[in-house]
Amino acid sequence: METPENEQFRDSIGTINTEGKRAWVYPKKPWGRLYDYRKWVSYGLLLFLFSSPFIKINGNQFLMFNILERRFNVFGFPFWPQDFHLFVIIMIIGVVFITLFTVAFGRIFCGWICPQTIFMEMVFRRIEYWIDGDRGAQIRLDKAPWNAEKIRKRVLKWFVFFLISFLIANIFLAYFIGSDRLIQYVVDGPASHLSTLISLLIFTGVFYFIFAWFREQVCIIVCPYGRLQGALLDTKSIVVAYDHKRGEGQNGRAKFRKKEDRSALGKGDCIDCNQCVQVCPTGIDIRNGTQLECVNCTACIDICNHMMEKVDLPKGLIRYASEDNIEKKAKFKFNNRLKGYTAVLTILIGVLTGMLFLRNDVEATVLRLPGQLYERKADNIISNVYTFKVVNKTVEDIADMHFELLSHKGKIELVTHKNFTVKAQDIAEGTLFIEINAAALDKDKTKLNIGVYQHDKLIETTQANFLGPRSYN
Ligand code: SF4
Ligand code: SF4
């Protein structure tokens, strides 16, 4: 059975035409109160994104994700592979945070915070409007033959897009390898770091491809978060929504006519001006309901409010609302469910902050040398050999360190020297022996508590297994 024309949106996405090819979206230039707010938010976020690799706290880059050297800084706190459990917890908290936030507030993140939307709508798209003009001019330019004007505009646009993509790739590199090293590479010149230059150009190409051509397809096809919406949203979730009750009335939407009593005629408030469709960067019609493609950018809210103002109807035909708000005409209430979610989010953020601040600056591991049995020495002394690793996560050297047994009487002997120093943000490694009198052992495998001291101050504790004979005489 053929799908009725007004239901066809259910069978296909807005950016694919009937032949299955990409339908290029030419969104009308957005403007309005929410767009202005989004501009300010995006300026702040862009400033944050571009400046974070160059901000240092206690000598640590504010944000750094050096995967190759396994060095990570989050908000100026250095993380080591030894902190991996913290990373896992942060990721779990992140997933829970996003889930709860989405259930309550829909895709606000996509429209206001997501770097893809910020770069696409607030950087590349605005350059496109500046060079190619608004929607109509862009359509005409695309259809026009390759004359001097089209070549000039295209070359200029592609060149500016390339420059910005190159800049973004550099910033990403600063996140990966550290801003100090990036600056050093720039000073040394590209010829000295050819492999880095090639990686940089590959990243530039990826960004260029995304922002010059792939665009909204990232949100529709690639982004897993967008795909989760169907599972996360419910009738209480606040999303960018068309008030279909008001917009359709009894007899559906209809074009605006002057001096006509629309409510008496049963016409809805939607004047079918199509502006919300034309302004949408993902090419959908929000009047068809919440859709996977909608990134909650609010452009349709702004333009519809403007249209409502023009025809002297109340604003808010498209607005942030839940399905229940629209169906039951209930005003938005910060209900118990939202309060609960907000409380959980606050607790999670508190836990995360606490974990970051309470994290130990020094981390020690003492492991028995694999494959080595214990050694029995004179005077009934049992000895085990271990390797140790002490990580100093601070920006200062920690000198005069040594180990002491906390749980048993015995001694710890370092192979090379007695006390040792761990340099700032470095690791000290070595071998040590632990010796305990067999009389103090009550089984063949004993868990030991070991203290790590700087001078006489206990700064970290760790555990290790100690092997001994099965029977004691
Ligand atoms: S902008 Fe508003 S009035 Fe115009 S078509 Fe969209 S919903 Fe209807
Ligand atoms: S439907 Fe509205 S909020 Fe959603 S992407 Fe389109 S313009 Fe933005």
Side-chain angles (χ1 to χ4, degrees), residues 70 80-82 363-367 369 386-392 398 401 403 413-423 425-432:
R70 296 185 294 164
W80 292 75
Q82 286 80 357
E363 189 144 330
T365 44
V366 177
L367 292 174
L369 211 58
Y386 297 81
T387 55
F388 72 86
K389 211 180 248 189
V390 179
V391 181
N392 175 4
I398 304 179
M401 293 179 80
F403 294 99
E413 298 265 9
L414 294 177
V415 168
T416 44
H417 33 63
K418 195 163 182 284
N419 290 5
F420 58 96
T421 298
V422 194
K423 289 203 177 325
Q425 299 208 12
D426 207 346
I427 300 176
E429 291 177 275
T431 308
L432 57 82

Side-chain angles (χ1 to χ4, degrees), residues 81-329:
Q82 286 80 357
D83 293 320
F84 188 70
H85 63 287
L86 274 183
F87 253 123
V88 172
I89 293 169
I90 289 172
M91 281 169 76
I92 293 170
I93 288 174
V95 170
V96 176
F97 181 95
I98 288 174
T99 306
L100 294 183
F101 193 83
T102 309
V103 171
F105 304 111
R107 283 178 84 170
I108 285 183
F109 169 84
C110 299
W112 291 77
I113 298 168
C114 175
Q116 161 71 19
T117 311
I118 301 250
F119 277 119
M120 186 66 246
E121 302 306 322
M122 295 297 169
V123 179
F124 288 88
R125 191 88 74 188
R126 287 173 74 185
I127 290 164
E128 194 160 71
Y129 290 132
W130 169 60
I131 295 171
D132 289 354
D134 207 344
R135 174 182 157 85
Q138 286 182 21
I139 296 172
R140 283 193 297 279
L141 191 68
D142 249 10
K143 287 187 181 152
W146 282 92
N147 55 25
E149 192 202 0
K150 183 163 174 171
I151 292 170
R152 182 181 63 77
K153 285 187 170 173
R154 283 287 184 264
V155 170
L156 176 63
K157 186 169 86 173
W158 293 338
F159 179 66
V160 177
F161 277 11
F162 176 81
L163 282 187
I164 296 172
S165 301
F166 186 68
L167 179 66
I168 298 172
N170 272 277
I171 295 299
F172 269 71
L173 195 63
Y175 278 103
F176 285 127
I177 64 169
S179 54
D180 288 344
R181 199 183 291 177
L182 177 72
I183 292 167
Q184 189 56 49
Y185 284 5
V186 173
V187 173
D188 292 348
S192 321
H193 304 281
L194 263 182
S195 58
T196 309
L197 181 69
I198 291 167
S199 315
L200 201 59
L201 289 175
I202 290 171
F203 274 113
T204 305
V206 170
F207 288 126
Y208 184 88
F209 167 76
I210 289 173
F211 295 115
W213 190 78
F214 204 51
R215 300 189 162 195
E216 74 289 338
Q217 299 300 314
V218 172
C219 311
I220 298 171
I221 300 172
V222 182
C223 178
Y225 181 56
R227 305 233 137 223
L228 273 176
Q229 300 309 305
L232 295 179
L233 300 182
D234 64 15
T235 56
K236 292 183 181 70
S237 306
I238 295 163
V239 291
V240 172
Y242 167 67
D243 187 340
H244 57 94
K245 286 254 176 196
R246 198 188 125 193
E248 302 300 311
Q250 279 174 330
N251 297 325
R253 61 188 80 145
K255 296 276 180 211
F256 178 73
R257 284 183 216 283
K258 276 185 185 164
K259 294 182 186 146
E260 181 185 67
D261 188 348
R262 292 178 72 89
S263 55
L265 293 167
K267 292 180 178 175
D269 278 359
C270 174
I271 58 169
D272 207 12
C273 62
N274 226 32
Q275 293 293 303
C276 52
V277 182
Q278 292 188 7
V279 85
C280 179
T282 61
I284 59 166
D285 186 343
I286 190 68
R287 295 172 297 172
N288 292 330
T290 303
Q291 289 150 79
L292 160 94
E293 296 95 322
C294 175
V295 292
N296 276 224
C297 74
T298 71
C300 54
I301 299 183
D302 274 334
I303 199 78
C304 187
N305 279 344
H306 170 66
M307 297 312 294
M308 290 292 103
E309 251 178 352
K310 263 175 81 172
V311 296
D312 214 12
L313 285 168
K315 291 198 274 189
L317 181 56
I318 303 176
R319 63 178 187 273
Y320 276 120
S322 68
E323 182 63 20
D324 281 0
N325 292 150
I326 291 169
E327 282 289 341
K328 298 171 188 165
K329 289 214 175 353

Side-chain angles (χ1 to χ4, degrees), residues 10-37:
R10 296 188 196 281
D11 300 334
S12 61
I13 56 172
T15 50
I16 304 285
N17 65 21
T18 47
E19 291 156 19
K21 292 191 179 140
R22 170 93 177 266
W24 193 260
V25 182
Y26 301 93
K28 209 173 148 71
K29 195 173 174 181
W31 61 275
R33 197 166 55 97
L34 287 170
Y35 186 66
D36 287 343
Y37 291 155

